[in-house]
Amino acid sequence: MTAENKKIWLASPHMSKEGYEQQYVQEAFDTNWVAPLGPNVNKFENELAEKVGSKHAAALISGTGAIHLALKAAGVGEGDIVLCPTLTFSASANPIIYQNATPVFIDSNYETWNMDTNALKEAFEKYGERVKAVIVVHLYGFSADMDKIMEICDQHNVPVIEDAAESLGAYYKGKHTGTFGKYGIFSFNGNKIITTSGGGMLVSDDEEKIDKVRFWSTQSRDTARHYQHSELGFNYRMSNVVAGIGRGQLKVLDRRVAKKKYIFDYYKKELGDLDGVEFMPVNDWNEPNFWLSVMTLNGEVRPIDVMEALEKENIESRPVWKPMHMQPFFEEYDYVGSDVSEKLYEDGVCLPSDTKMTDEDLERICEIIKGLWM
Ligand SMILES: *Cc1c(COP(=O)(O)O)cnc(C)c1O
């Protein structure tokens, strides 16, 4: 492989140069805590809760599992409606189906790309008391307009579950995303801003609910010598080895956010003036973690042109999430909004945002893209 066609990933795991992760994993091996419990799990929960400013946290096998148990904790069940953004990854919506509830998809607005509050209000008007929970996503690490969303949901007395899978390290008006709603979830999947190879966390200020989530996530074993179960159980608890990786990664989160911001600023400066190009908006109340740098193209050069030109040079990029209401699996469910999310999907392209990229890599990417305008 030559320097010219070196593979560049959209976002890939980036372990600390100090080797923190391996130290904690080694500790787990040395003490034989190779199990879905142990000191790393407890410490990772405490350290993450402290980092985001939440009172309690439960470490789980995935962000998807965390959303699932948040819905269960919120009492969502058969026949209930859960409002969910349409412009997101399917993992935001799948757990609604696991609980036999019904999703109703909400459009985005151009100002935030996240949940549109007019569409949210409209959905509440339409479904009233049947709405049992609202899932809010902070897309690509850019926060939704939480004050407005919380006001509407509080009025209706409906709990908010923040899907902050993409936004660990991002703030809204100085407060960490994932801590506005009754529940917040984070993901440590391989391409997220920090990773444990796979894993998730559910945070809440409600200690009882978090205890309950830990109970469900370890097969709902009642306190008895014999195996006694009075509730449905899940095998969702994070392993102590994986939690060790998480503890190490948490130490470099701020560094990763700084690099992601550097990448976003670099692209904006180099590509922002090209005809038809716009970048995902940063509002003044928003301190994103810039997980992915995303731009829209509404001129002659289309997203597919950019993706193909990069692909030819061994560089990964991808479209914006295809909205849930356009997915064959979710087509039958209601959708409230105009066509903002569809337009963002059609025009959007996620640029390589790997924190291991050098200035040379960024320059190479920008030259390829600029070439499409010549
Ligand atoms: C990654 C992601 C999830 C799922 O997290 P996993 O840990 O992969 O299960 C959920 N929602 C969004 C928006 C995501 O990007």
Side-chain angles (χ1 to χ4, degrees), residues 62-64 67 88-89 91-92 137 163 165-166 187-189 192 199 321:
S62 67
T64 310
I67 297 172
T88 185
F89 179 50
S92 306
V137 177
D163 177 350
E166 300 175 359
S187 165
F188 313 110
N189 204 344
K192 297 287 159 46
W321 301 124

Side-chain angles (χ1 to χ4, degrees), residues 126-197:
K126 192 163 172 188
Y127 291 101
E129 306 260 288
R130 281 188 66 200
V131 180
K132 284 286 147 55
V134 174
I135 295 174
V136 177
V137 177
H138 304 294
L139 208 63
Y140 301 126
F142 292 60
S143 78
D145 194 351
M146 288 316 292
D147 280 352
K148 282 195 208 153
I149 291 170
M150 290 309 297
E151 193 187 321
I152 297 166
C153 295
D154 286 346
Q155 266 168 16
H156 292 269
N157 231 339
V158 168
V160 169
I161 297 165
E162 278 179 88
D163 177 350
E166 300 175 359
S167 71
L168 182 60
Y171 296 81
Y172 172 83
K173 295 187 182 171
K175 188 169 150 71
H176 206 292
T177 56
T179 62
F180 288 84
K182 167 98 188 180
Y183 305 97
I185 79 96
F186 298 98
S187 165
F188 313 110
N189 204 344
N191 62 4
K192 297 287 159 46
I193 190 153
I194 62 169
T195 182
T196 61
S197 72

Side-chain angles (χ1 to χ4, degrees), residues 35-37 41 44 59-61 188 196 198-200 236-240 242-243:
L37 78 167
V41 175
F44 187 33
L60 302 168
I61 50 159
F188 313 110
T196 61
Y236 275 7
R237 196 73 165 128
M238 181 181 277
S239 115
N240 192 59
V242 157

Side-chain angles (χ1 to χ4, degrees), residues 18-236:
E18 292 86 351
Y20 299 131
E21 299 85 354
Q22 276 172 321
Q23 287 166 28
Y24 290 124
V25 169
Q26 191 59 49
E27 251 176 62
F29 275 70
D30 291 345
T31 53
N32 205 31
W33 279 110
V34 184
L37 78 167
N40 277 337
V41 175
N42 304 341
K43 286 178 182 159
F44 187 33
E45 288 178 345
N46 292 339
E47 286 158 7
L48 185 123
E50 190 178 334
K51 179 82 193 167
V52 303
S54 188
K55 289 212 178 91
H56 305 281
L60 302 168
I61 50 159
S62 67
T64 310
I67 297 172
H68 185 190
L69 294 189
L71 287 166
K72 190 170 161 63
V76 169
E78 192 155 4
D80 294 336
I81 282 179
V82 178
L83 308 181
C84 175
T86 189
L87 191 63
T88 185
F89 179 50
S90 65
S92 306
N94 284 333
I96 303 171
I97 310 292
Y98 303 165
Q99 281 304 98
N100 295 313
T102 305
V104 169
F105 296 110
I106 309 292
D107 202 9
S108 302
N109 54 36
Y110 287 117
E111 191 196 358
T112 66
W113 293 27
N114 285 303
M115 187 177 262
D116 177 55
T117 44
N118 290 324
L120 178 64
K121 275 186 214 159
E122 209 180 300
F124 267 118
E125 276 158 27
K126 192 163 172 188
Y127 291 101
E129 306 260 288
R130 281 188 66 200
V131 180
K132 284 286 147 55
V134 174
I135 295 174
V136 177
V137 177
H138 304 294
L139 208 63
Y140 301 126
F142 292 60
S143 78
D145 194 351
M146 288 316 292
D147 280 352
K148 282 195 208 153
I149 291 170
M150 290 309 297
E151 193 187 321
I152 297 166
C153 295
D154 286 346
Q155 266 168 16
H156 292 269
N157 231 339
V158 168
V160 169
I161 297 165
E162 278 179 88
D163 177 350
E166 300 175 359
S167 71
L168 182 60
Y171 296 81
Y172 172 83
K173 295 187 182 171
K175 188 169 150 71
H176 206 292
T177 56
T179 62
F180 288 84
K182 167 98 188 180
Y183 305 97
I185 79 96
F186 298 98
S187 165
F188 313 110
N189 204 344
N191 62 4
K192 297 287 159 46
I193 190 153
I194 62 169
T195 182
T196 61
S197 72
M201 192 80 79
L202 175 59
V203 300
S204 177
D205 285 344
D206 188 332
E207 186 171 16
E208 236 172 81
K209 291 288 192 187
I210 292 293
D211 281 344
K212 196 79 203 204
V213 163
R214 290 198 192 105
F215 170 77
W216 289 329
S217 74
T218 48
Q219 308 283 25
S220 297
R221 277 184 66 185
D222 295 342
T223 23
R225 189 184 299 276
H226 53 281
Y227 282 78
Q228 168 100 358
H229 306 276
S230 15
E231 282 190 66
L232 177 64
F234 298 84
N235 188 0
Y236 275 7

